[in-house]
Structures are given as C-alpha cells and as structure tokens.
C-alpha cells in the first residue's frame, strides 16, 4: 500500500501530523465550521501522506485531518506518495500559501527552513511560489525579528510591512521601536 500515487482510505490512528509543517495555528471558528462540514459530508478532498515505517506522516491537509479527528471519523481518504523530507517541506510551504490565514511569520519560517536545511535559493522559492524575489527576501527577513516583535506580528498589532522594516534593525533597536 505504498505506491507512488495511491488513493485509498486509512484509519486516522495510522496517520501522525508532520512536525515540519510551517502552519502552527488555525482559526478556531474556521476549524469549527470545517468540522461541522466533515461531520455532515465526510472528508471530500484526500489528505496527502507518506509512509514513515510505523504508519503514515501527514504531508498536506492538516486542517482536514484535525477536523476529522474532532469529528471522530475512523477513516479518511488519502493519497499516498513516496516523498523525501525536502519534497515534504516544499509541498507544505506551497500548499499553505494556497490556503487562507497562513501568518507571514509561519511563511517566513517555512522559506528559511527550505533555504537552510534543503539548499533552496530565494530565486528557486520565488519561482516555485510564483512571487517576486523581493517578496521572498522580505518574508525571510521576518525570521530576524526579536521574540517580542514576532509576537506583535502574530497578534496582528503590526502589519507584515511594518515587521519587515522592524526586522532590518538590530535587536536593541527593534525593542526601542
């Protein structure tokens, strides 16, 4: 059952969430709405998983997975693919960009991991996500924010544009600003 592109159903208990997924937060209201839909209609779009030796690692579809778990479904439709760590992270970053509510900081952290752990260049990321090189550099710059400045961004107290300007400052200057 580990074909390159196999569509099947799997028990939820055999699927574990990926630790590499850049998305760390989910809007509670949107998740509740999705859970209600999953209870009524089931999971309509397959999750993307890869074999991990003891079961399967969730690559894409984290919100659907969480909603199915909350709805107490026993099985979900999945697409099983053999993927390496680099491919998994690229899929997660790109898939999250196509979804709503990915925070700029989560996006930045995903790009930074692609660059530091997998040798991606900003040019390659820009090409893969269909954005400008400046956009990628600006997002990655957000990883240089102090923890306090990151929290301001996450809380929505500053915009991504303000955060990019702030990230260009030294940590002590960020604190003063």
């Amino acid at each position: 059952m580990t074909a390159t592109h196999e569509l099947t159903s799997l028990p939820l208990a055999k699927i574990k969430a990926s630790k590499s997924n850049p998305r760390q937060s989910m809007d509670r209201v949107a998740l509740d709405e999705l859970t209600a839909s999953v209870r009524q209609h089931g999971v309509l779009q397959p999750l993307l998983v890869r074999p991990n030796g003891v079961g399967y690692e969730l690559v894409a579809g984290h919100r659907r997975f969480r909603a199915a778990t909350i709805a107490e479904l026993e099985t979900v439709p999945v697409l099983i693919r053999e993927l390496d760590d680099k491919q998994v992270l690229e899929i997660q970053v790109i898939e999250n960009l196509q979804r709503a509510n990915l925070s700029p900081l989560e996006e930045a952290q995903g790009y930074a991991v692609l660059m530091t752990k997998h040798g991606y260049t900003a040019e390659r990321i820009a090409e893969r996500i269909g954005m400008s090189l400046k956009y990628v550099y600006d997002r990655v710059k957000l990883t240089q924010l102090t923890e306090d400045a990151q929290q301001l961004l996450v809380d929505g107290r500053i915009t991504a544009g303000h955060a990019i300007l702030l990230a260009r400052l030294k940590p002590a200057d960020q604190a003063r600003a």
Side-chain angles (χ1 to χ4, degrees):
M1 193 164 26
T2 58
T4 304
H5 292 86
E6 183 179 344
L7 182 61
T8 189
S9 288
L10 287 176
L12 270 176
K14 288 192 170 204
I15 304 169
K16 299 299 177 213
S18 174
K19 293 183 185 339
S20 65
N21 184 20
R23 182 184 296 273
Q24 299 300 314
S25 61
M26 293 183 196
D27 178 83
R28 187 65 200 180
V29 172
L31 182 59
D32 288 345
E33 291 170 356
L34 180 58
T35 301
S37 174
V38 165
R39 278 190 180 112
Q40 184 173 6
H41 305 288
V43 175
L44 300 178
Q45 182 179 359
L47 309 176
L48 178 60
V49 299
R50 71 172 174 171
N52 67 2
V54 295
Y56 298 87
E57 176 185 5
L58 181 62
V59 176
H62 288 76
R63 289 182 64 247
R64 283 172 276 141
F65 175 76
R66 187 156 321 156
T69 302
I70 294 168
E72 299 178 342
L73 297 185
E74 291 193 21
T75 62
V76 290
V78 298
L79 180 62
I80 301 171
R81 290 185 57 195
E82 295 285 346
L83 301 164
D84 62 29
D85 291 346
K86 185 176 178 179
Q87 292 168 316
V88 166
L89 185 60
E90 181 178 308
I91 288 168
Q92 289 171 335
V93 168
I94 292 170
E95 198 252 353
N96 279 327
L97 283 175
Q98 295 171 351
R99 306 288 180 210
N101 301 326
L102 179 68
S103 82
L105 189 56
E106 290 170 330
E107 182 182 354
Q109 291 164 339
Y111 298 158
V113 171
L114 282 172
M115 294 170 86
T116 58
K117 287 191 176 180
H118 299 292
Y120 277 59
T121 62
E123 291 86 359
R124 182 170 179 197
I125 293 170
E127 178 183 296
R128 297 288 295 167
I129 65 170
M131 300 298 268
S132 71
L133 185 58
K134 180 183 180 331
Y135 177 89
V136 173
Y137 279 126
D138 282 348
R139 280 299 190 255
V140 171
K141 191 72 176 167
L142 294 175
T143 62
Q144 296 176 13
L145 288 169
T146 62
E147 284 186 36
D148 288 341
Q150 286 181 8
Q151 194 59 53
L152 290 172
L153 178 59
V154 169
D155 292 344
R157 293 178 54 203
I158 61 174
T159 66
H162 290 115
I164 291 165
L165 295 173
L166 200 55
R168 293 180 180 149
L169 303 174
K170 294 178 182 169
D173 294 331
Q174 287 183 35
R176 269 201 329 268

